[in-house]
Amino acid sequence: MSFNRLRTNNGFMVSLLVLFSLTACSTAPTRQSNQPILQLNSTDFAKYWVTKDKLIDWRKALPAELHNDSKENTTQYKASFVVNSHGQMTQLEIINSVTGELLEQAALAEISSQEFYPTAQNSALQAVRINTSFRL
């Protein structure tokens, strides 16, 4: 009789362990791929993502004829891009602030390949949009 009772208790314990395991798996945090994209400035961006391998060189995004080496006659540009949950730069747009001209996507191909690592604070891999400006 004690052997049957022992088998029943073991069966009960195994059932509880399976139930707890399933419950723990179902309540584990999941990465949501449809998170809203946060709108950030360049300062707050560093809390979520850091560049892989190299800093962003905005000069590479512009054709050589647009580079201006004169200190007093620099042109300001506005840049907007998304870093998605995979750390890839997407939706890059650069606008000349003086003329309002949008740079062609073909000219942005090299800089668009920039990749990013998530910071420790960004374990959820939150996608972000950055709006910034720079002068050349």
Side-chain angles (χ1 to χ4, degrees):
M1 186 165 180
S2 65
F3 179 70
N4 285 338
R5 187 173 182 182
L6 184 60
R7 276 181 42 191
T8 304
N9 283 343
N10 283 342
F12 179 73
M13 292 301 284
V14 169
S15 297
L16 279 178
L17 286 174
V18 169
L19 179 64
F20 286 139
S21 296
L22 292 174
T23 304
C25 290
S26 67
T27 60
T30 58
R31 292 186 182 159
Q32 296 178 350
S33 60
N34 56 356
Q35 294 175 336
I37 296 174
L38 292 180
Q39 303 288 327
L40 301 175
N41 61 33
S42 54
T43 303
D44 291 334
F45 173 67
K47 296 175 185 174
Y48 291 87
W49 297 95
V50 294
T51 57
K52 256 187 196 179
D53 305 324
K54 58 188 183 254
L55 295 176
I56 299 174
D57 185 358
W58 293 111
R59 285 185 160 254
K60 290 183 179 181
L62 303 173
E65 63 269 11
L66 295 180
H67 294 188
N68 189 347
D69 294 325
S70 170
K71 294 282 185 196
E72 61 273 344
N73 196 15
T74 60
T75 302
Q76 184 163 348
Y77 295 88
K78 292 180 182 177
S80 175
F81 60 93
V82 170
V83 175
N84 66 20
S85 61
H86 301 289
Q88 299 167 330
M89 181 186 284
T90 62
Q91 302 177 29
L92 174 62
E93 290 184 343
I94 299 179
I95 299 172
N96 181 318
S97 295
V98 176
T99 65
E101 177 187 2
L102 179 66
L103 280 100
E104 293 183 27
Q105 289 299 312
L108 306 178
E110 185 175 345
I111 202 161
S112 292
S113 66
Q114 181 75 48
E115 294 181 317
F116 301 85
Y117 290 116
T119 63
Q121 287 180 229
N122 191 13
S123 61
L125 304 178
Q126 175 65 54
V128 297
R129 175 178 296 282
I130 292 66
N131 295 301
T132 190
S133 60
F134 60 92
R135 289 186 179 272
L136 292 181

